[in-house]
Amino acid sequence: MASSTPSGQRVLASYAAPPAFLASPNWSKVYSTILGQLPLRNIHWKSNSRGTLKTIQELQVTLVPFDSLRDEHTSQVPGTLLEKPLLHIYIVHCEDNDLDTYRNTLKKQIKDWHTAVTSRRNQDWLILQIIRPDTLRQPTGNFFQIKNSVLDKLRTDFNSDKRDRCVQVNWITGNDSPAAWAEFINKMKEGLLYAFDSAIEARQEEVRRSENQQAMPGWNFCTFFILKESLASSFEGMNLFEEALIPYDELEASFYRVSKERNMSWFGPLLPLDPNQDTSPFLSTTKKPYRDLILENKISVLDFRIYLLARQCQLLAKLGRLAEITSKATFFLGAFGERLQDVPTLSPLFVEAWRYSSALSVVEHCNTWAAASSIEASKSASVNAGKGELLDLARSQLDVLGMVAGHLPIAPPFSTSRTSTKIWKPNTPINFINETLNVAINNKEAFYELYVAVLNRAIDFYAKSGRRKFALKLHGNLAALELHRGNLAAALITYTSLPAHYAPHMWTSLESFMLSRALDTYNKLDRTQDVEWIHMVLSFLKTHVEHNCEMLVGGVDKVTCVTTLISSLRESVERLENLAHPDHPIITIRVASNAKLAGGRDGSFLDVHVTNHLPCAFPVDEISVLVSGRESDKFRYASSIDDGCPSGKSTYTLFCATPASGTFLLESSEIRSAHLLLQSNYRKAGKVALPLLIRVPHDPLALDIRISQSNQIQLGRLSSLMVVLSTGRNNVNNAAIRLVAPSITFYARDAELLEDKHAKSFTAGADRIELEGLDEDSDIIFRVPHSDASALTAMKVKLEVDYATKDEPTIVRTSQFTRVLITTLPISVNVEDFFRGKKRVHSTTTPGNIQLISKFTVSTTSHQHVRIANASLELPLDGLEGVNITPCVAKRPVVTVTPIQPANFLFSLDSSHGPVRESLTLSVKYRMLREEVESIIQDQVRGLLEEFPSKAHTRTVLVSKLVNALESDAAWVEMYGITGELAVPQTNEGPHEFDDLMKEAVKRLSQHRHTEHPEGKWREIKIPVDVPFMNIVAAARIRIISTPFAKETLAEELPPLYAGQPISANLNIYTTFHWGLSPSDTNRQYILRFNIEEMVREWLVSGPKRGDFVAKDGETYSIPITLIALHHGEFALPRVTITALPMSGAVTMGSMAVPSIETYQEHGAEKILVLPRGGRTTFVVSMGPG
Amino acid sequence: MPPNLKLNAVAFISPQNHPILIRTFSKQDDHAIKYHYIAHTSLDVIEERVAAAGKAADCYLGLLFSMEDVAVYGYITPLKVKIVIALPLSDMVVRDTEIITIFKALHMAYYSSIANPFLKLSYSGEGSSEQAALLAVGSPKWKNFKRRVDEISWLVGQPSNP
């Protein structure tokens, strides 16, 4: 670095010494030692004006003999302050105690020198006394005279102010250690700085004075410039580069101020006259005698500016701030070039050529500077960026050159480089100083090579600096060049890859530009328009739509451009296979939230508002919308379009043939153009937006399907459900029904049609049921068996119906219905069994006289009322011999079972041949109250409408209105239960078109009465009932007899019974094994135990109150007992309990088997009248003889 | 007479580097693409500047670069919306204070435009509505922002008062 500093700018210091010392051989030793201490290091300099502490790392000081300093004030031109020495050093060799020598000779010599030195302004001095070390070792007898040493003398003689300018160095030959010289060096630094500061201060004062005189006549900017520049060069000489920059920056600012005032008389012309302009290295301060030119006021403005810039750049380079150099240079080239453009006399393209060569030259400069000072990696990025910018600048100049020379088209991106609107006459001779440019402008290929080289260098620099986006832009330029040169394939590759870089951040403008270029290239290549091309077109249209405010494709009319694109797109998509493109913005669809019913046929219409964002029509073949319901059933609304979708908004009505009602979710929409499918999905995962709902009103006349529990339920058999297909308005040609439910299998093959009057053909297939020829307005009912569903409370059945109507045989409608079937039966049945003796004919029970009485309690399982027409206990189909069932009531009216009131049904069962092993069937005919009422309404309305055939279509609506009215109020239920009258409550709905019909229907319903016999459709449930068996059935009877000895007593002859009186009675226990497990049981014997229960308030029981006995089939065991009534009154006889004892020998499950036994009290209902004891009692006492 | 500044183009770029509005005030249509490029490329430089400045960064980023015939200045709002303006390159001193004044005016214009509550309303349906609303302010549907920017550009071009 030091070498680059001109020697004139080094810091000077002079030396002097007594002539004798100079002549001595010691001098050369001392001199070389002092030189050895240089350069000075780590000088801390504090700026006066700014007050900041700066450190000068290293400062070269040149020592010159004092005598050589001669001519002062040789030049009037203010040069650098360092031209003069800053410090004068006097070196004297004198031992400290050698006062005599000093006084006699040295003092005068120093005095002379000192006078000469102090006369100089802004220079400092220093006296160096060198002593020998051995002098110290001398024993000093005059220790107290030390004050009078030579050093002290020197100090007192010469130090004029506080600063001590005298230094003593202990000289040891060969010892040049910094420690020994430290004080001297410090003093030297101090002196240098002191001198420098005062010099600078003086100069600054001078500058300030000159600056203040600006307004005065005779002030010259150039003189001022040179004056101020001297400050800068002084700082530079002191290696204070940052300080040196400041004057230049200030000078630049004052130049602007001056030039703003348009007072340019101090300068020569704007441009130098010599044409040798653009070959020279741009940032060189020596290529021209700039300073002389400035002093002579002859410098051109351009040269002046270049000089100023070059000096700044030099300083910046020394500071290592290369990035600032490039940005300064770029700005200058751009800005000053603009100014030059206005000069009319310039040769054509001078500015461009100047910029081009200057930019390249700056890059070269930077390279050399960078090589000279190693720059850290973090900074090199910005330097590279700066170099890239310079090369970019050079590139844009080439754009202009190329366009003028005809090598490049006058179109973007090249045309954007044209900064002036000047138009050169054709055939203007173009000649440059730069030979490369001359060659390039005359030779196309050479130009391209040059262009590509510059471009690639720029890209390289940008890439190194991490400026990706700049590099991208240049890649675009490169591609444009390739395109122009005809390297279509290369251009296409670049153009197709570039949009991806702009797309992610939605720089649609640039993306669309690239895409349009790519498309152009594609067209020029004559490639077939394949999928890639279509994608490109679609992306282009997308950017076109999104960036609709402006299109950056110059020249071509937007609409024509897009129109041609669309038509060729259409051609190519016709050739291709289906190509789906999601979420393309050229056409947006807004779907109405309410669908309309089709009216005359099944299905609904849905309006869509289509917005075509293109400026021209888009060929659309079909628009469709997919909606989905709760059960993920999907419906498609579609409409084909003949003449394309015009630009702007338009409305289309889509049709969905499937009848479905409810609320649906908008799933997706699709626009089909030949094989191109533009889809948009409205239900994206992770999207928080609210779903779009579409409401489809209910169509009462559409084909409908319902399911219900089978009207023939047989517990224990395969369950089945009933399907009701209502054709509504449709004359159905054929229909196919599939039933699906999770975890349940439907046996479609076993389906049976219940009412076949409406269907011409009924085919039960393996998995579907097919029907043909169904009339309109009819219900087809069939039953489908399915696997057990009792584990589920409700069964969700999905029914798929494919059907085609007579009117529209080509349309196959596929409807999906999801219906829920409650598997729980509406009624539950409990049974209680009793064994009882038959009506007593004889006083004693005889074998076979015990019958079974079953009590069935039917209750509803829900809150609904159930109407029961009949309940019967049935034998198996072929009957059972000897078994006879008698209901307790021969005929009963329809019973209503409510949640609080169950119904009981009793049956008695007689069996002459022992136990009944077959199970019987309880069959209940029932229907829900709601069903019954609905069917009544149906019938009534049907009957009513037969009188008004024109209004037949209103039937369904009318029925539902009536049902709704009944649902609103339950007051009619009681009345209906008794009489059958249906009092329809008044509804406060608004007037309706068939109010009259409604009134009539209400009237008819109120006249409805229950018929005597249950009519209409009833459901039937068949429940298998097992007849219980009982090992032993016992009948116990306490029979009162008149005397203890009477064998038989007739009841009517029973004597009056009194309280307290013993009453004789017989306990008879009749046992039968008739209802036992098997008929062979009759031969068995069981040991039973009887117990007469205590009734301590009424009876005293005497006799065998408890005992065991052996029971045999059909036999009666009798035992006499005596009862005493404790008080009078009418009360029942005590109960007898009979328990079976474990059978000996028979062991069941590890314990003794106890036979089952049921006992009934024959006297359970009897009561005994006990009279109070009254009257007189006579006691006869035998007196004995005598 | 002091030279008048003139705005060639103004670009607003979202924190996610999406363009919000790019407004060019030059006559030539061809040059629109140039300012789009400039807005895009200036992102690189802004990134460098912000990274270099570290935490103590100022909003005003100074001259970003000079390209062809424009000088590009950058500004980044505390919420990282970048504003880039392009002035014609001239051999005159352009004082930073003037540029900062322009930037502050533009920032204010943006700020008052996004304060429009209806902006968010119309984009509430979409995901990340905050972002969409910010971007939407520059869409052709919302004219106020553009009008404000145009006004500033017009004002800048007016001869300053003596």
Side-chain angles (χ1 to χ4, degrees):
Chain A
M1 197 191 285
S3 61
S4 69
T5 319
S7 61
Q9 286 180 350
R10 268 196 194 182
V11 176
L12 287 179
S14 78
Y15 64 89
F21 183 48
L22 276 176
S24 73
N26 282 338
W27 165 248
S28 58
K29 287 186 202 162
V30 170
Y31 183 63
S32 61
T33 313
I34 294 175
L35 283 183
Q37 298 300 324
L38 301 178
L40 299 174
R41 287 173 209 279
N42 289 332
I43 304 172
H44 300 291
W45 179 74
K46 198 174 177 200
S47 158
N48 283 339
S49 50
R50 271 164 261 274
T52 50
L53 193 72
K54 296 254 165 69
T55 302
I56 303 165
Q57 297 291 342
E58 187 181 86
L59 186 65
Q60 280 289 353
V61 179
T62 313
L63 285 178
V64 291
F66 182 66
D67 301 341
S68 66
L69 299 173
R70 281 291 168 257
D71 308 311
E72 278 208 39
H73 309 293
T74 44
S75 160
Q76 286 298 312
V77 182
T80 159
L81 294 169
L82 307 180
E83 278 174 351
K84 293 173 208 162
L86 288 175
L87 186 66
H88 304 280
I89 309 168
Y90 197 88
I91 306 160
V92 61
H93 174 222
C94 181
E95 298 306 327
D96 236 2
N97 48 6
D98 196 1
L99 281 171
D100 294 340
T101 324
Y102 172 71
R103 237 174 255 147
N104 296 339
T105 54
L106 293 177
K107 186 173 178 181
K108 189 181 178 301
Q109 286 170 352
I110 300 173
K111 199 82 183 170
D112 290 347
W113 170 82
H114 186 248
T115 326
V117 161
T118 44
S119 68
R120 290 168 171 255
R121 280 168 54 208
N122 301 330
Q123 293 174 18
D124 209 5
W125 53 270
L126 187 65
I127 299 171
L128 170 66
Q129 185 204 8
I130 294 173
I131 52 167
R132 294 290 220 170
D134 49 330
T135 55
L136 276 180
R137 274 182 238 128
Q138 278 185 353
T140 49
N142 48 358
F143 179 78
F144 296 103
Q145 291 177 352
I146 195 91
K147 270 202 171 161
N148 291 327
S149 69
V150 171
L151 182 65
D152 294 329
K153 275 287 174 197
L154 281 172
R155 281 177 180 154
T156 44
D157 287 346
F158 298 103
N159 275 351
S160 52
D161 50 14
K162 281 178 192 164
R163 282 182 62 218
D164 180 14
R165 290 186 170 90
C166 304
V167 194
Q168 192 179 54
V169 167
N170 193 355
W171 172 262
I172 304 162
T173 313
N175 180 6
D176 52 353
S177 73
W181 290 88
E183 199 190 351
F184 169 69
I185 293 297
N186 279 343
K187 288 278 182 211
M188 198 169 159
K189 286 179 186 171
E190 217 170 84
L192 280 176
L193 288 185
Y194 181 75
F196 179 72
D197 278 351
S198 46
I200 283 284
E201 216 165 291
R203 184 58 60 85
Q204 275 172 340
E205 185 52 42
E206 222 174 305
V207 169
R208 217 169 292 138
R209 208 180 309 131
S210 174
E211 210 162 10
N212 290 340
Q213 288 168 353
Q214 265 186 55
M216 310 244 282
W219 186 82
N220 189 322
F221 178 78
C222 290
T223 324
F224 172 70
F225 178 85
I226 295 292
L227 181 66
K228 194 158 187 178
E229 195 196 8
S230 70
L231 273 178
S233 43
S234 309
F235 281 122
E236 193 188 357
M238 288 291 283
N239 284 354
L240 287 164
F241 303 117
E242 274 173 63
E243 293 297 316
L245 259 182
I246 295 166
Y248 280 118
D249 290 347
E250 286 171 358
L251 277 172
E252 196 180 1
S254 39
F255 170 78
Y256 277 122
R257 202 160 48 242
V258 165
S259 68
K260 205 192 272 175
E261 287 154 14
R262 312 235 177 263
N263 188 352
M264 306 300 278
S265 57
W266 304 300
F267 297 98
L270 184 64
L271 283 171
L273 295 171
D274 55 333
N276 194 22
Q277 189 53 245
D278 69 9
T279 48
S280 46
F282 183 59
L283 291 180
S284 161
T285 49
T286 52
K287 68 185 174 192
K288 280 186 188 179
Y290 285 116
R291 281 172 59 87
D292 294 347
L293 286 171
I294 293 172
L295 276 175
E296 290 164 35
N297 283 352
K298 277 183 191 163
I299 193 160
S300 64
V301 176
L302 176 60
D303 278 342
F304 174 77
R305 294 292 303 277
I306 289 176
Y307 176 69
L308 188 59
L309 180 72
R311 288 290 293 141
Q312 285 173 322
C313 290
Q314 277 179 353
L315 289 171
L316 286 171
K318 285 180 182 172
L319 283 168
R321 282 149 64 176
L322 290 183
E324 282 176 53
I325 296 176
T326 54
S327 62
K328 251 184 161 36
T330 320
F331 186 80
F332 171 72
L333 289 175
F336 202 74
E338 282 305 299
R339 191 153 159 196
L340 291 181
Q341 295 281 21
D342 301 337
V343 180
T345 54
L346 276 179
S347 56
L349 299 176
F350 170 82
V351 177
E352 282 75 17
W354 173 73
R355 274 182 183 154
Y356 171 79
S357 359
S358 305
L360 291 187
S361 165
V362 172
V363 174
E364 288 312 312
H365 276 293
C366 284
N367 284 346
T368 40
W369 280 325
S373 60
S374 54
I375 294 173
E376 34 196 304
S378 65
K379 272 190 182 171
S380 73
S382 58
V383 176
N384 282 330
K387 287 182 197 165
E389 277 176 32
L390 279 168
L391 285 167
D392 210 351
L393 180 73
R395 191 265 320 157
S396 63
Q397 305 316 311
L398 285 180
D399 279 349
V400 180
L401 294 182
M403 280 189 291
V404 172
H407 300 333
L408 292 176
I410 303 176
F414 307 114
S415 64
T416 56
S417 302
R418 196 170 43 184
T419 55
S420 74
T421 47
K422 222 182 280 182
I423 291 159
W424 302 99
K425 278 180 226 134
N427 306 325
T428 321
I430 299 170
N431 193 30
F432 304 110
I433 304 101
N434 189 327
E435 265 317 302
T436 330
L437 287 182
N438 273 338
V439 173
I441 206 144
N442 295 322
N443 182 338
K444 224 175 192 173
E445 284 310 311
F447 176 83
Y448 290 146
E449 257 172 52
L450 181 67
Y451 192 92
V452 171
V454 170
L455 209 51
N456 278 335
R457 277 184 75 192
I459 291 174
D460 194 34
F461 278 127
Y462 279 144
K464 273 186 200 160
S465 64
R467 286 195 174 176
R468 210 173 56 83
K469 298 182 177 74
F470 280 92
L472 281 180
K473 180 191 162 185
L474 293 187
H475 275 296
N477 281 17
L478 195 56
L481 180 72
E482 298 285 5
L483 179 64
H484 176 64
R485 287 177 73 182
N487 290 343
L488 297 175
L492 182 65
I493 289 169
T494 316
Y495 275 135
T496 46
S497 68
L498 280 176
H501 294 283
Y502 292 112
H505 289 302
M506 311 206 302
W507 286 84
T508 42
S509 49
L510 297 174
E511 193 190 347
S512 85
F513 179 75
M514 293 304 158
L515 283 167
S516 77
R517 278 306 146 105
L519 289 175
D520 288 353
T521 317
Y522 216 99
N523 281 352
K524 283 188 187 157
L525 263 177
D526 253 352
R527 295 250 291 258
T528 44
Q529 295 169 335
D530 54 6
V531 180
E532 192 192 345
W533 183 82
I534 289 167
H535 277 300
M536 231 174 334
V537 172
L538 288 174
S539 316
F540 176 71
L541 292 176
K542 181 174 177 174
T543 59
H544 172 80
V545 166
E546 283 176 357
H547 194 74
N548 43 5
C549 46
E550 48 193 318
M551 262 247 284
L552 301 171
V553 189
V556 199
D557 177 29
K558 275 195 253 178
V559 181
T560 18
C561 166
V562 173
T563 315
T564 40
L565 262 185
I566 295 285
S567 55
S568 49
L569 175 70
R570 173 72 186 184
E571 278 169 30
S572 55
V573 291
E574 275 167 2
R575 289 195 301 268
L576 287 164
E577 286 170 26
N578 273 1
L579 183 71
H581 191 99
D583 293 323
H584 201 279
I586 51 171
I587 295 184
T588 47
I589 290 186
R590 205 162 53 79
V591 181
S593 57
N594 284 306
K596 292 172 297 201
L597 289 180
R601 53 182 178 158
D602 280 7
S604 52
F605 289 114
L606 186 65
D607 281 350
V608 290
H609 307 288
V610 179
T611 313
N612 180 2
H613 297 282
L614 291 174
C616 61
F618 188 79
V620 171
D621 295 330
E622 191 193 51
I623 297 176
S624 62
V625 161
L626 198 66
V627 299
S628 69
R630 264 199 299 200
E631 311 294 336
S632 71
D633 39 345
K634 290 192 167 68
F635 302 102
R636 188 165 172 270
Y637 284 89
S639 169
S640 55
I641 291 158
D642 301 328
D643 48 353
C645 179
S647 175
K649 286 184 181 172
S650 43
T651 303
Y652 296 98
T653 303
L654 312 185
F655 180 65
C656 172
T658 310
S661 65
T663 306
F664 295 90
L665 203 58
L666 182 59
E667 208 44 57
S668 63
S669 66
E670 189 178 86
I671 294 163
R672 190 168 59 78
S673 172
H675 294 286
L676 178 69
L677 306 169
L678 300 179
Q679 296 166 329
S680 45
N681 195 349
Y682 297 90
R683 291 184 66 198
K684 275 187 202 119
K687 212 173 173 186
V688 285
L690 289 172
L692 291 160
L693 296 180
I694 292 162
R695 285 166 198 87
V696 184
H698 177 67
D699 184 1
L701 295 178
L703 180 122
D704 193 18
I705 195 159
R706 296 181 305 273
I707 56 171
S708 57
Q709 285 184 358
S710 166
N711 57 359
Q712 295 280 341
I713 299 173
Q714 246 175 307
L715 291 188
R717 295 274 199 90
L718 200 60
S719 31
S720 59
L721 57 79
M722 209 156 72
V723 180
V724 183
L725 179 74
S726 309
T727 51
R729 65 166 77 83
N730 303 296
N731 272 311
V732 178
N733 270 354
N734 49 49
I737 301 158
R738 273 186 68 219
L739 288 89
V740 182
S743 74
I744 288 167
T745 320
F746 288 99
Y747 308 109
R749 196 180 288 284
D750 301 328
E752 53 177 319
L753 192 63
L754 292 185
E755 288 172 43
D756 57 352
K757 56 186 172 185
H758 297 299
K760 288 210 180 88
S761 120
F762 177 87
T763 323
D767 61 340
R768 47 168 45 199
I769 294 147
E770 282 166 27
L771 297 159
E772 272 176 39
L774 310 178
D775 295 333
E776 63 179 322
D777 195 18
S778 56
D779 288 350
I780 292 93
I781 306 169
F782 52 91
R783 201 158 47 201
V784 185
H786 61 85
S787 62
D788 182 41
S790 56
L792 311 163
T793 49
M795 170 166 130
K796 194 179 255 185
V797 184
K798 201 160 95 178
L799 298 120
E800 278 179 15
V801 188
D802 300 344
Y803 66 99
T805 60
K806 204 174 272 175
D807 299 339
E808 295 160 306
T810 50
I811 300 178
V812 176
R813 292 174 160 91
T814 302
S815 282
Q816 286 191 345
F817 302 90
T818 304
R819 302 285 185 236
V820 176
L821 180 70
I822 307 289
T823 52
T824 327
L825 290 172
I827 55 171
S828 68
V829 177
N830 291 315
V831 61
E832 274 183 283
D833 289 313
F834 307 96
F835 290 97
R836 282 289 180 276
K838 278 188 191 164
K839 252 186 248 171
R840 197 151 30 122
V841 186
H842 310 287
S843 55
T844 51
T845 315
T846 48
N849 270 358
I850 290 185
Q851 61 183 351
L852 177 68
I853 293 171
S854 292
K855 176 181 156 198
F856 293 91
T857 309
V858 178
S859 50
T860 166
T861 53
S862 64
H863 63 279
Q864 296 209 46
H865 293 198
V866 182
R867 303 269 291 162
I868 293 173
N870 190 20
S872 58
L873 191 63
E874 288 162 6
L875 294 169
L877 277 179
D878 44 355
L880 277 176
E881 202 189 335
V883 179
N884 191 17
I885 295 168
T886 327
C888 60
V889 184
K891 160 129 186 44
R892 52 194 298 169
V894 176
V895 182
T896 306
V897 174
T898 67
I900 50 167
Q901 190 185 21
N904 291 327
F905 298 93
L906 275 101
F907 301 94
S908 71
L909 184 85
D910 235 343
S911 163
S912 51
H913 298 294
V916 181
R917 317 195 67 80
E918 309 280 325
S919 63
L920 310 178
T921 311
L922 178 73
S923 148
V924 184
K925 274 192 178 168
Y926 70 100
R927 61 185 173 192
M928 314 301 290
L929 179 65
R930 187 192 170 92
E931 280 177 320
E932 185 174 286
V933 172
E934 270 179 27
S935 77
I936 291 169
I937 295 172
Q938 282 276 8
D939 290 348
Q940 295 290 339
V941 172
R942 221 182 265 270
L944 175 68
L945 287 178
E946 268 162 26
E947 296 164 28
F948 305 96
S950 61
K951 294 186 176 171
H953 63 280
T954 60
R955 180 174 61 87
T956 328
V957 185
L958 208 53
V959 168
S960 71
K961 271 189 172 300
L962 287 166
V963 170
N964 285 347
L966 286 173
E967 275 173 352
S968 66
D969 189 0
W972 53 271
V973 175
E974 210 169 328
M975 177 69 98
Y976 173 79
I978 299 162
T979 63
E981 172 185 330
L982 271 168
V984 181
Q986 277 291 311
T987 51
N988 42 9
E989 267 181 51
H992 204 275
E993 52 169 318
F994 32 79
D995 265 351
D996 298 341
L997 283 175
M998 183 86 171
K999 262 181 205 152
E1000 180 62 26
V1002 170
K1003 193 175 146 203
R1004 288 191 182 206
L1005 285 173
S1006 66
Q1007 288 164 359
H1008 175 262
R1009 295 289 179 271
H1010 284 314
T1011 49
E1012 207 165 312
H1013 301 285
E1015 57 182 19
K1017 289 172 190 160
W1018 292 88
R1019 298 173 174 279
E1020 193 171 11
I1021 182 165
K1022 291 200 166 165
I1023 304 167
V1025 178
D1026 284 329
V1027 182
F1029 63 85
M1030 196 57 68
N1031 288 119
I1032 311 149
V1033 177
R1037 175 161 187 88
I1038 295 175
R1039 189 181 300 274
I1040 292 172
I1041 46 178
S1042 50
T1043 62
F1045 315 106
K1047 285 259 164 46
E1048 286 284 324
T1049 313
L1050 295 173
E1052 52 267 28
E1053 289 171 21
L1054 207 63
L1057 304 173
Y1058 295 98
Q1061 180 192 13
I1063 303 165
S1064 302
N1066 271 337
L1067 170 62
N1068 294 333
I1069 299 169
Y1070 169 73
T1071 51
T1072 173
F1073 305 155
H1074 183 77
W1075 295 96
L1077 268 179
S1078 63
S1080 64
D1081 275 359
T1082 46
N1083 301 327
R1084 297 187 67 156
Q1085 293 185 353
Y1086 296 100
I1087 301 170
L1088 302 180
R1089 170 171 296 169
F1090 72 91
N1091 181 30
I1092 302 169
E1093 281 180 17
E1094 294 271 12
M1095 293 176 77
V1096 286
R1097 291 175 61 87
E1098 279 91 23
W1099 297 107
L1100 278 178
V1101 181
S1102 128
K1105 184 169 162 280
R1106 175 189 295 182
D1108 294 351
F1109 66 95
V1110 175
K1112 286 182 185 156
D1113 184 37
E1115 289 192 4
T1116 306
Y1117 171 76
S1118 280
I1119 191 159
I1121 53 169
T1122 307
L1123 298 166
I1124 299 172
L1126 290 177
H1127 58 90
H1128 61 90
E1130 191 171 28
F1131 35 82
L1133 285 166
R1135 283 176 56 84
V1136 179
T1137 55
I1138 298 166
T1139 50
L1141 293 179
M1143 286 183 284
S1144 52
V1147 175
T1148 319
M1149 298 175 72
S1151 65
M1152 300 287 251
V1154 181
S1156 58
I1157 179 165
E1158 185 171 316
T1159 314
Y1160 77 89
Q1161 312 288 324
E1162 273 191 69
H1163 57 268
E1166 284 177 16
K1167 284 197 170 165
I1168 304 292
L1169 181 69
V1170 180
L1171 300 171
R1173 201 163 46 160
R1176 206 174 44 192
T1177 308
T1178 308
F1179 298 91
V1180 178
V1181 180
S1182 163
M1183 304 298 288
Chain B
M1 203 179 77
N4 294 323
L5 291 173
K6 179 179 169 295
L7 288 181
N8 272 9
V10 175
F12 288 83
I13 301 156
S14 81
Q16 288 77 26
N17 287 353
H18 296 194
I20 298 171
L21 177 75
I22 298 176
R23 197 90 183 111
T24 56
F25 305 108
S26 78
K27 296 278 181 294
Q28 287 162 286
D29 273 352
D30 284 12
H31 281 195
I33 181 89
K34 171 169 153 183
Y35 293 110
H36 283 258
Y37 266 132
I38 285 173
H40 189 240
T41 46
S42 59
L43 288 175
D44 268 346
V45 188
I46 290 174
E47 206 172 288
E48 279 172 23
R49 294 282 163 91
V50 170
K55 278 196 174 167
D58 192 15
C59 284
Y60 177 57
L61 299 172
L63 177 73
L64 297 180
F65 60 93
S66 50
M67 170 78 43
E68 287 143 17
D69 58 343
V70 289
V72 182
Y73 293 82
Y75 185 91
I76 183 162
T77 72
L79 289 177
K80 308 293 173 221
V81 172
K82 293 129 190 160
I83 310 175
V84 175
I85 61 172
L87 304 180
L89 197 57
S90 77
D91 194 25
M92 298 289 170
V93 182
V94 178
R95 274 203 298 274
D96 279 350
T97 46
E98 290 171 26
I99 304 292
I100 291 173
T101 315
I102 297 174
F103 273 129
K104 291 213 164 133
L106 289 170
H107 185 185
M108 208 57 210
Y110 174 72
Y111 180 74
S112 19
S113 302
I114 58 159
N116 180 359
F118 295 103
L119 203 62
K120 257 174 210 165
L121 189 70
S122 63
Y123 281 85
S124 59
E126 313 214 346
S128 67
S129 62
E130 205 69 17
Q131 164 90 37
L134 294 190
L135 290 180
V137 77
S139 77
K141 197 171 155 194
W142 301 94
K143 300 194 175 64
N144 252 350
F145 184 38
K146 215 169 280 172
R147 191 176 49 70
R148 285 191 178 108
V149 171
D150 289 359
E151 248 165 42
I152 291 169
S153 162
W154 181 81
L155 273 174
V156 167
Q158 291 304 297
S160 53
N161 295 327

